Amino acid sequence: MATFNVVVSDPETGRSYTREVEGQDANRFMGREIGDEVDGTAVGLEGFTLEIRGGSDDAGRPMRGDVRGPALKEILLEGGVGYEPNRDGERKRVTVRGREVSDAIAQLNVAVIEGEGWVPVALGEAEPEEFEDIEPEADEDTEEDVDAEEPDEEPTEEGAADEAAEDTDVDEAEDEAAESEPEEGEEATDDESAETDDDENAEASDTPETDDDEAAETDDVTEESDDESTESAGEESEESAVEESSEAEAADDEDET
């Protein structure tokens, strides 16, 4: 017949209580594994639910959740349940128990996960008067359900008036924004037109300067042509004078002969 020392952990108070179970109460744990839920009646907590968190055999070898079955097994550990390394990277081969509860287990560690009331009072470790001024924490799921079931409050006349005033202010602000947008567009159009006119005037003012330069270049070409014509006329006159003097000399020679 199996006999266990069950260590019950109470998360509400942070205390732990040890109870010895045997017979039918012990059989409630037999064959269960780490992480399984058990009725709290096995340890005298009627209306509570327990969860198996671990345990050890009579030699102190711990149960590990990553080892199947109830038998002993030697595994190489880097840390966790059954081995605490002294330095980084240290490993050790350790003999541990599997995650299944068997009659070889001497101690079981369980935690209360559900139930109404106070665990110390249910176990006879405290009087109810000690917890009269303390309200147990409600489950988060229960609080969410209560919030979801609460109907929305109907708006009062004052609240409706305030909402209407806020809507009116919003509409007026939107109208003002819509009116200001075309003015900004017109100002932008005027600025673009002014810039275009300035560019055209600048181009027009640059055009006369170009015409003056071209006219000056034409005058220079004309003066060069006149100079060339004058030089050609002078050369022709000199040639004509030389020819006339030659002819006169020839005529004088003939007369003398």
Side-chain angles (χ1 to χ4, degrees):
M1 184 175 61
T3 302
F4 305 128
N5 284 326
V6 181
V7 179
V8 181
S9 176
D10 178 20
E12 292 288 341
T13 60
R15 301 175 185 175
S16 297
Y17 308 91
T18 303
R19 289 291 182 271
E20 183 177 349
V21 296
E22 58 183 3
Q24 293 297 325
D25 292 335
N27 290 337
R28 296 176 183 271
F29 296 96
M30 293 293 292
R32 301 295 181 91
E33 296 182 348
I34 293 176
D36 289 348
E37 297 180 1
V38 181
D39 188 356
T41 307
V43 293
L45 290 174
E46 186 175 356
F48 291 83
T49 302
L50 310 177
E51 180 182 356
I52 301 174
R53 297 290 178 85
S56 60
D57 60 12
D58 54 0
R61 291 181 288 257
M63 299 172 62
R64 280 187 64 96
D66 54 355
V67 178
R68 295 182 179 180
L72 294 172
K73 188 172 183 179
E74 191 175 283
I75 58 175
L76 186 64
L77 297 179
E78 296 180 353
V81 178
Y83 175 61
E84 184 176 353
N86 295 323
R87 58 180 182 274
D88 294 339
E90 184 179 12
R91 298 186 298 176
K92 185 178 180 181
R93 194 168 294 278
V94 180
T95 301
V96 297
R97 282 278 175 186
R99 62 193 179 199
E100 183 178 331
V101 179
S102 66
D103 55 2
I105 299 300
Q107 175 179 310
L108 273 178
N109 302 323
V110 300
V112 178
I113 58 174
E114 291 181 5
E116 296 182 0
W118 294 99
V119 172
V121 175
L123 292 175
E125 297 287 341
E127 297 296 330
E129 291 78 9
E130 297 180 17
F131 299 94
E132 288 181 352
D133 298 334
I134 304 175
E135 295 182 0
E137 295 182 1
D139 295 339
E140 294 181 358
D141 296 339
T142 304
E143 292 180 356
E144 292 178 357
D145 295 340
V146 171
D147 295 338
E149 292 175 359
E150 289 182 356
D152 297 334
E153 295 181 358
E154 296 181 358
T156 60
E157 294 181 358
E158 295 180 357
D162 294 338
E163 291 180 357
E166 291 178 357
D167 294 339
T168 304
D169 295 339
V170 171
D171 294 338
E172 292 178 355
E174 291 178 353
D175 295 338
E176 292 177 357
E179 292 176 357
S180 62
E181 287 179 357
E183 294 178 357
E184 294 177 355
E186 293 176 359
E187 292 178 358
T189 304
D190 295 339
D191 295 338
E192 293 178 356
S193 301
E195 291 178 357
T196 304
D197 295 339
D198 294 339
D199 294 339
E200 292 177 355
N201 293 332
E203 292 177 357
S205 62
D206 293 339
T207 302
E209 293 179 359
T210 304
D211 295 339
D212 293 340
D213 295 338
E214 292 177 356
E217 291 178 358
T218 303
D219 293 339
D220 294 338
V221 173
T222 304
E223 290 177 359
E224 290 178 358
S225 300
D226 294 340
D227 293 340
E228 292 177 357
S229 299
T230 304
E231 291 177 358
S232 299
E235 291 176 356
E236 291 177 357
S237 298
E238 290 178 358
E239 291 177 358
S240 299
V242 171
E243 290 178 357
E244 289 178 358
S245 62
S246 299
E247 290 176 358
E249 289 179 358
D252 291 338
D253 290 339
E254 286 178 359
D255 292 339
E256 287 177 359
T257 306

